[in-house]
Amino acid sequence: MGSMAQTKPHVVCLGAPKYAGADYLSDFCSSFEFSVLEATNRSETISLLPKLIARKGPIYAFIIRMGTPPYEPFDAGLLSQLVPSCKIIVSASAGYNEFDVEWMSEQGIIFCNSVDAVAEATADMAVFLLLATLRNTSNAERSARAGTWRSVEGLIPARDPAGLVLGIVGLGAIGKYLAKKAAVFNLKIKYYNRTRLPVDQEKAYNVTYCSSLHDLLSSSDIVSINCPLNTATTNLISTAEFAAMKDGAFLINTARGAIIDEAALKMALESGKVARAGLDVLCNEPNVDPWFLDKDNVIIQPHLGGLTDVAFMKAERECFENIRAFFEGGKANSPVNMEKLRK
C-alpha cells in the first residue's frame, strides 16, 4: 500500500449499494478503490472485516446503507477494526441514535448522516397522515369494506384543512418541505425551533415563529413532530404539553416515537384531548405497544416515511458525495461531529 497521493483511497460499503445506480457507481470508482463487504448482520461484519483488510488493504472510508437493525449498534465492538486508517464513516440514514458518534470522535473519525435524502419523502408521509387524520380515512375504509358504507359515526362531516393552523415542531429539512406542501391545503403554518429562522426564510416558507413550544401547541389545530430525537427532545411532548394543546387537536408524528411520552399520549387520546393521531413512528419498533394498534382514533404506518425509491437513491448518493467531498475538497458535506473533532 503506497502513500495516499499515489493510491486511490479504499472505500468500503457495508452490503452492496442497490439504489445509487450503475453509472453513478462506475464514475465514483474511477477516483476510489471501492469494495463491498458482503455482510448481512453484526457477527458477519465482525468476522469478514479483517479478511477484507488483509486482502485489499486498510479502509479509509466506510459506508453504512439503509436497513441498519441487523448490525446495530454501530460502536467500537463493530467498527474498531477500521482504526486507525479510517478517516470518515457515512450513513444513509438521517437519524443516528444507533451510532456511537462519541467513540468515532475519539478515534478522529468524521461521521456524516444523510441530510436531505429522506426529507421530502418523510414530509409526504406527514401530509398523508395529516389528511388521513382530518378525513378519518382509516375508519372510512373499514366501514366501506364492512358494508356499513357511510353510516359509521364520525365520518361526516370530516374536518377540512382550509383555515386550520398547522404547528410544526422542528423546521429543519423535513419541516420545510412540509410547510411548502401544507400551504397547498390553505393551512396557516406556525413553527417552533431551537433557533429562529432568518426573516427572509420565514417569508419564503410563509411561516410564523412561536417563541415557546407551549405557545405553538396552544394555538395549533394540528401539531406535526419533525425534530430529531436526542436527550433534549426525548418525551418533549408529555402531560404538560398535551394540556397546553387545543381540545380535539390532531397530532402527527413522522420523527421518532420517543419524542412523545406514550403514556401521556394514551391519556390524551382516551380523553379526546387529541381527536386523532397519525403515527409513522412509535416506541420499541417493531414491537410497539399493541394498545395503539387497536385504537380507532390512531392511524398507523410501519415507519415508512423515508422509504421510497427516490429517497433510497438520494441517500446512497449522499454517502458517496460525502466521501468524495472529504477526499477531493478536504471537507465532508454533512459532518455531525466536527466540534468534537476540533477539541
Side-chain angles (χ1 to χ4, degrees):
M1 192 76 189
S3 75
M4 284 283 294
Q6 295 160 324
T7 51
K8 299 176 181 176
H10 187 201
V11 176
V12 173
C13 189
L14 183 53
K18 297 193 186 97
Y19 304 96
D23 291 353
Y24 180 88
L25 284 172
S26 73
D27 175 64
F28 181 84
C29 290
S30 65
S31 311
F32 295 90
E33 179 67 38
F34 181 64
S35 311
V36 172
L37 188 74
E38 298 285 4
T40 59
N41 59 43
R42 188 179 178 85
S43 58
E44 285 178 13
T45 306
I46 292 166
S47 69
L48 290 175
L49 261 176
K51 294 171 186 157
L52 177 67
I53 292 167
R55 201 170 74 248
K56 293 194 73 175
I59 295 165
Y60 288 94
F62 196 65
I63 298 171
I64 293 155
R65 303 170 310 117
M66 303 287 228
T68 54
Y71 307 94
E72 288 169 15
F74 291 91
D75 58 2
L78 185 72
L79 305 171
S80 56
Q81 300 178 83
L82 300 174
V83 178
S85 60
C86 189
K87 305 284 177 252
I88 181 167
I89 293 176
V90 297
S91 164
S93 306
Y96 46 91
N97 36 308
E98 307 85 11
F99 293 82
D100 189 346
V101 181
E102 286 287 326
W103 175 82
M104 294 180 205
S105 301
E106 283 160 19
Q107 307 304 320
I109 298 170
I110 292 171
F111 174 73
C112 301
N113 65 339
S114 141
V115 179
D116 194 51
V118 300
E120 187 163 11
T122 305
D124 288 348
M125 175 61 82
V127 171
F128 163 76
L129 288 171
L130 188 154
L131 292 174
T133 53
L134 290 178
R135 301 296 293 255
N136 203 359
T137 56
S138 291
N139 288 323
E141 180 167 351
R142 279 194 283 270
S143 186
R145 288 178 185 275
T148 44
W149 204 237
R150 289 195 304 233
S151 62
V152 168
E153 211 183 320
L155 297 187
I156 301 171
R159 291 296 297 276
D160 203 301
L164 297 183
V165 175
L166 167 64
I168 299 177
V169 180
L171 204 74
I174 297 167
K176 285 180 179 136
Y177 275 118
L178 176 57
K180 277 281 189 220
K181 289 165 189 280
V184 176
F185 300 101
N186 297 317
L187 286 152
K188 298 186 183 115
I189 301 161
K190 297 187 172 186
Y191 79 101
Y192 169 72
N193 232 20
R194 280 172 315 180
T195 46
R196 185 173 180 172
L197 265 62
V199 176
D200 60 327
Q201 281 202 34
E202 289 182 348
K203 280 206 179 77
Y205 289 97
N206 200 12
V207 293
T208 306
Y209 178 65
C210 292
S211 57
S212 75
L213 177 59
H214 284 233
D215 179 22
L216 178 92
L217 298 176
S218 63
S219 59
S220 298
D221 301 293
I222 308 149
V223 174
S224 177
I225 308 299
N226 298 98
C227 56
L229 174 65
N230 51 43
T231 46
T233 61
T234 301
N235 288 340
L236 180 71
I237 308 295
S238 190
T239 311
E241 288 69 36
F242 284 114
M245 285 184 197
K246 287 186 177 183
D247 291 338
F250 297 89
L251 178 66
I252 313 298
N253 191 5
T254 53
R256 285 290 188 273
I259 296 168
I260 298 176
D261 174 354
E262 287 191 348
L265 174 56
K266 286 181 182 180
M267 290 173 72
L269 285 163
E270 283 286 5
S271 70
K273 182 68 174 184
V274 171
R276 275 188 291 281
L279 309 173
D280 188 37
V281 289
L282 283 155
C283 293
N284 308 318
E285 297 169 15
N287 308 308
V288 301
D289 186 335
W291 185 92
F292 292 99
L293 308 179
D294 294 333
K295 293 298 287 181
D296 274 350
N297 58 347
V298 180
I299 293 170
I300 290 192
Q301 292 289 296
H303 202 154
L304 293 176
L307 309 186
T308 68
D309 48 2
V310 172
F312 280 11
M313 180 193 75
K314 283 182 176 172
E316 286 191 352
R317 288 189 180 184
E318 265 193 66
C319 288
F320 289 98
E321 289 306 315
N322 260 308
I323 289 169
R324 192 196 297 277
F326 174 72
F327 284 104
E328 292 177 3
K331 196 165 175 285
N333 296 327
S334 56
V336 301
N337 61 338
M338 287 313 287
E339 287 305 308
K340 299 231 169 65
L341 284 176
R342 287 197 187 100
K343 287 173 200 164

